[in-house]
Structures are given as C-alpha cells and as structure tokens.
C-alpha cells in the first residue's frame, strides 16, 4: 500500500520573445510529461492558463511559464531536460527545481545531487538544502539572471504528513466520490470562483487542479495510513485572502506534522492543533525570491505503532 | 566532511554447549569483522569480556555472546552471516539485528529489508520498524526461542543528533587528545572503575570502549558539523546507577534531538535542556525483551542554516 506522495517540482519561465507555450499542441505536452513517466489524464483551461491533471500530479501552462509537479517514482529531471532542449536553452529565463526528501528515498531512480549535475550541463544555477538530513528537508535549485521575479510573485506550499480524523478516514475508504471530497475539504469556500478538475486514483489517492484568471491551486492527497501525505500548492497569497486556507485545511486534515514553504511569502502556523515550530529558515536567491521554510509538529507526544516487516 | 555515524548493531548469543567464543583466535575476529569492511584497531580484555575497537565502531566478545556495532558504509549483515556460518546455525541461540535510519541512506550498499531477506535464509525471526519513515526510526530483527532473555538483562542506547556547545566545538578542532575528551565527557566519574580503550580518528571522530566485569559501555562520536552523531551504548542499568549518565552526557553534548532505545529498560529524558518527546513506542518480543523507543527534541525552534550544494 506504500506510495511516495512527495513531489518533485519545477517552475520554468521562458523568454516572451520565444512565443506562447499555450500554442504548443497537446501532443507536445503528452510527450514532455512522458519523460517524467507521467500521462495526461485530463485538461482544462481559461484565458490565462491551461491545467493538466497527470497520472503523477499536475502541469500548469501559461503563455511564458510552466509549473509541473510529479510524485511517486517519476523522473521529473528527464522531463525538465527534455523541455529545455525542446524550447532551446537560450529561451529559458528562469528555472527552479525542488525536491522534498522522500519517505523511501532509495526507491527513487536518482538523487537531487545527481539531478542537478545533469541540469548543470545545460544551465548554471545554485542549489541549496534547507532542513537537516535526518529531518524534513527540501532541496532547491534556482537558475536565471538577477531579479527576474517581482516581490508580488508568490508561491505557497503547505505539505502535510500523517493526516488523521474523519476526513482522513474517509479518504482511506473504498467508496469515495470527488464531490464528497470536494465538499469535505470545503474547497467551494476556500477557493471560491475557481474552475476545477479532479481525479480519484485506484486504490487510493485524490488530485485536484483549480484555476481562476492567473491563479492556480493544486492539491494531491496520498492517504495511505503509514505514509500519508497531502500537498497544497498555490500562487494565491495566503496571507492576504479572506479565509485562512492553511489553517482550515490543517484543521480538516489534522496532520501530525507539516511544512510551509513560501516563495516571497512567509506563512505562519495557526495555534490549533497545538504545535511547535521545530526549525525554520529564510534565505534570498538572486533571481528575486526570498525562500522561507518552516517545519511544525503537533505538541502532544505520539504513541508510535510498531510496523512489522 | 560527511561521515555516516549511525550504527548497524548485532547481538548474538550462542548455545553454551558450543564452547567459549573467547577461545577463538584473534585471526578469527579479524576475518569476521573484515566481512563488515572493518579492521581491528586495538583490543583489551578482563575475566569476562574482550573488547575490540574497530575502524568502524566496536566488538565485544563474552564466552557465549557478542555485541558488534559498525558505522559508515560497513556491511554488518555480511559479517553476521559469516559469523553464523562459522559457528553453525544450530549453535545460534538468539540474534538481534538493528539499524537506525541513516543520514544518507542511499549511500548504503543494502537496505534493512534486503539485509533481513538474507538473514532469513539462515534464521527465522520477526522484524519491526519503530518510528515514522519520515522521522527518526529504527529497524529491529529478533530471532530465537521464547524467553531466552531474563528481565534483568538490559541494554541502553542513547543516540544524539546535532551536538553543540563547548565540547562539540572541541571535538571539531584539529588538536584533540584522548585524555582531554575523556575528561570533558567526565567518563572517569560516569563509568568509574571501567577499564577503557579509545581511539581518535583522522580527520575527526572518537571511539571508546569500556569494560568492568560483565559490563560494557561504548561511545562513538561523529562530530562533523552538519551530520553530527553520538551513540552511547551500555548494559549498565541507567535507571539504577549512582549518576544519571544520560542526563550528564546530554548536558555535555547538547544535541538538538536524541533517541532512547532500551531493551528491558525504559529511559526517561531529563528536563534540561527543555525538550519534548515527539513519539514513543514500547513492544515485547518473544525472546524476552520489552523494547522501548522514544525520540526527543529541544523545545526551542532552531534557525536552520541553508546548505549550499
């Protein structure tokens, strides 16, 4: 029942002079995501953005930018390299590539260090690890010229581990529906006005993409009991929004621990459930991002269940 | 500067009818530890026990029992299999094999799951993981008949991560001496009356074995700044001893986080530094052990330093 929910993620901006990415045909994206060992399950779009639900997470395409997340044993680095080669390395304006430490890292076909060695054959860039090796940590590679990114360009990631409670229990049942999950997560309220596209996986798992104008959100749920993981990622400014989306989703999904990662935004944890920030870190990258990372854990000790092997 | 301090560990009891292990020649042990990619650096003994300092941790030999710990990229499973084959599988009374999740697991030549698949070709046994996959966790395999172990047979492991303070700083300098480290760790007081044998590694690292009658302790220090690790292991009953050894060593080495593992003993954390038990677990194994695991972390949030790659 184990599934590696943790995503690898890339955000790539291209030079506006190189045409619109949204003019590229479906067959192009199908081929590009296949390099990461992913398929396109469905697609939707609005005036600004196309959103693809993948067999391994999500792809968003704007005129001059893509965001792609892939989980499981996907090989996102091959997809990134394929994209750079197809677009032409001189047309790449900015690239960030990010990996979370996996639950079972040795199953992955490459390490982050190996990934960026390949990437650096195409693009110069700097790479960083935040978080101790024996704890939750993230690797981030960034490439591009100075100050490409405006301060108002923000990305929020809320990553949850070991979810519990009524909604987590429901997500582990066999008789689920997209409508019921959408309702339990209160997404109609949290992301009001967003068009969405969702998928239920067999035996377990839920993905949803939402778009509204230039904004996107994407939620991926790996509910498997011993390695549950939920990621919420959005370019909505969570600190200036009518609802505290992070607090709401933490209350609904009740994780034991969670990470906040913000690009040009520092997200704070709610007080409920009672929790402690075990470590945090902020640092600037020359492309114009201030990157913020923090890891929280519920304050009450957990009685661990031995897992027989 | 990275070194994997986390040990793999085996404790093996043989049938008393199969003679004394201490009668086996030095060449036997040299060959056995070489299977784990380790060398014997030095040796000492008393009436009950021989203690070997290894290039990768320690070996203790009693008449009918061995305890071996090896760190780094050592292949302890090969050593265990070689020992079983040399002694004869029918002469193995009890075996425990334990692995801590490593800082960089993918550098290891095998996983615990692969190790026990090999071991199970020789010996039946049950295996367990305590602790979540995304947090500190330990794997323990046990083999042997019911109730081989008396309740008064205890082993304590205190494992520390990210040490800090004056002693940690000294351990990272180039001009160290065994005598000074022995004094800074207050081992004369903590393990009074123990004979000891210690080694300083190049560029960094410290190991010490101590024995007194049937009792042993062993301390291994990997002080490297970004992946520091200290293990203290002993069959002294830490809960019934004139000094609180765990509290003293925690105060001296000031780790950010630590694990207690007790076989037939449950060790409690001192209050200083202010800390929280994030998870704990107790379970019995049929050979007669109650195994206790707990993980602690300092309560104050840590400002993490990004590590450039």
């Amino acid at each position: 029942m184990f599934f590696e929910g943790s995503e690898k993620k890339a955000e790539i901006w291209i030079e506006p002079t190189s045409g619109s990415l949204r003019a590229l045909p479906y067959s192009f994206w199908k081929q590009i995501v296949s390099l990461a060992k992913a398929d396109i399950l469905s697609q939707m779009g609005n005036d600004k953005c196309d959103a693809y639900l993948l067999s391994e997470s999500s792809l968003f395409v704007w005129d001059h930018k893509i965001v792609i997340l892939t989980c499981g044993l996907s090989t996102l680095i091959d997809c990134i390299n394929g994209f750079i080669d197809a677009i032409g390395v001189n047309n790449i304006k900015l690239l960030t590539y990010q990996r979370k430490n996996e639950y079972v890292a040795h199953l992955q076909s490459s390490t982050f260090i190996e990934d960026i060695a390949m990437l650096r054959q195409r693009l110069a860039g700097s790479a960083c690890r935040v978080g101790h090796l024996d704890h939750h940590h993230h690797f981030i590679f960034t490439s591009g010229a100075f100050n490409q990114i405006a301060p108002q360009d923000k990305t929020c990631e809320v990553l949850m581990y070991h979810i519990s409670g009524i909604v987590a229990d429901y997500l582990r049942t066999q008789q689920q529906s997209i409508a019921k999950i959408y309702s339990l997560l209160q997404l109609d309220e949290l992301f009001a006005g967003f068009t969405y596209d969702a998928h239920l996986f067999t035996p377990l798992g839920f993905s949803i993409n939402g778009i509204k104008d230039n904004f996107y959100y994407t939620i991926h749920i790996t509910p498997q009991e011993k390695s549950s993981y939920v990621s919420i990622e959005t370019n909505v400014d969570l600190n200036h929004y009518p609802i505290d989306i992070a607090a709401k989703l933490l209350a609904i999904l009740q994780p034991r621990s969670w990470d906040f990662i913000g690009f040009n935004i520092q997200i704070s944890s709610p007080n409920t459930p009672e929790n402690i920030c075990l470590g945090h870190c902020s640092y600037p990258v020359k492309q114009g991002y201030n990157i913020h990372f923090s890891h929280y854990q519920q304050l009450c000790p957990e009685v661990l269940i031995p897992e027989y092997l």
Side-chain angles (χ1 to χ4, degrees), chain A:
Chain A
M1 283 291 281
F2 175 75
F3 184 80
E4 187 69 72
S6 291
E7 290 100 355
K8 308 161 187 82
K9 179 192 155 193
E11 178 166 332
I12 310 176
W13 297 51
I14 66 161
E15 297 292 349
T17 49
S18 52
S20 171
L21 292 169
R22 299 184 68 201
L24 293 166
Y26 180 87
S27 58
F28 174 83
W29 299 111
K30 188 172 165 56
Q31 158 65 12
I32 284 293
V33 303
S34 77
L35 298 174
K37 299 196 170 69
D39 291 322
I40 296 172
L41 300 177
S42 59
Q43 180 196 2
M44 63 172 178
N46 65 17
D47 284 355
K48 302 286 178 59
C49 176
D50 294 320
Y52 297 83
L53 262 186
L54 306 182
S55 57
E56 322 281 331
S57 304
S58 292
L59 165 68
F60 295 88
V61 182
W62 293 262
D63 282 336
H64 304 117
K65 182 174 84 166
I66 66 167
V67 169
I68 181 166
L69 300 90
T70 67
C71 61
L73 302 178
S74 61
T75 53
L76 183 58
I77 191 64
D78 296 332
C79 166
I80 295 169
N81 286 332
F83 180 82
I84 294 171
D85 293 343
I87 300 298
V89 69
N90 293 329
N91 291 319
I92 304 296
K93 187 176 171 190
L94 178 133
L95 182 146
T96 67
Y97 174 55
Q98 183 186 347
R99 263 178 87 161
K100 165 80 182 71
N101 69 297
E102 290 90 6
Y103 273 97
V104 186
H106 68 82
L107 297 179
Q108 297 293 317
S109 62
S110 67
T111 64
F112 179 80
I113 301 290
E114 291 162 351
D115 289 352
I116 60 170
M118 281 202 284
L119 206 41
R120 280 174 165 155
Q121 292 174 6
R122 290 171 172 80
L123 286 171
S126 66
C128 208
R129 189 192 74 234
V130 291
H132 290 305
L133 280 171
D134 62 327
H135 216 285
H136 282 238
H137 57 273
H138 293 258
F139 298 97
I140 303 171
F141 172 90
T142 53
S143 174
F146 270 102
N147 293 335
Q148 298 293 301
I149 298 294
Q152 62 270 28
D153 190 300
K154 299 170 199 280
T155 307
C156 304
E157 302 175 14
V158 181
L159 311 176
M160 305 183 186
Y161 310 93
H162 307 292
I163 56 171
S164 62
I166 292 171
V167 175
D169 290 345
Y170 177 77
L171 290 162
R172 290 172 185 136
T173 59
Q174 290 305 307
Q175 301 300 320
Q176 301 171 42
S177 73
I178 287 173
K180 177 81 172 167
I181 297 173
Y182 189 78
S183 158
L184 287 170
L185 297 179
Q186 302 177 23
L187 295 177
D188 217 20
E189 182 195 2
L190 299 187
F191 290 101
F194 278 71
T195 311
Y196 69 92
D197 181 19
H199 188 83
L200 268 175
F201 291 86
T202 304
L204 293 172
F206 173 79
S207 287
I208 187 165
N209 286 341
I211 50 174
K212 179 182 172 184
D213 194 41
N214 263 319
F215 293 102
Y216 75 99
Y217 77 87
T218 183
I219 301 177
H220 298 279
I221 301 180
T222 302
Q224 275 84 338
E225 191 127 23
K226 283 158 186 161
S227 53
S228 64
Y229 173 76
V230 176
S231 67
I232 299 113
E233 149 127 14
T234 182
N235 60 351
V236 164
D237 181 341
L238 293 188
N239 288 347
H240 298 88
Y241 197 73
I243 301 169
D244 189 339
I245 291 175
K248 280 271 191 183
L249 287 172
L250 285 165
I252 292 167
L253 290 162
Q254 300 179 35
R256 280 298 306 175
S257 66
W258 56 96
D259 301 337
F260 288 142
I261 299 176
F263 292 78
N264 286 341
I265 181 168
Q266 187 162 12
I267 316 161
S268 293
S269 188
N271 295 327
T272 311
E274 209 181 359
N275 60 76
I276 176 177
C277 176
L278 293 177
H280 60 90
C281 170
S282 295
Y283 71 103
V285 295
K286 72 169 191 179
Q287 290 79 18
Y289 281 129
N290 277 297
I291 297 177
H292 303 275
F293 165 70
S294 51
H295 178 69
Y296 293 84
Q297 180 129 1
Q298 284 196 34
L299 201 53
C300 61
E302 181 176 9
V303 178
L304 300 161
I305 311 295
E307 182 170 345
Y308 288 89
L309 304 168

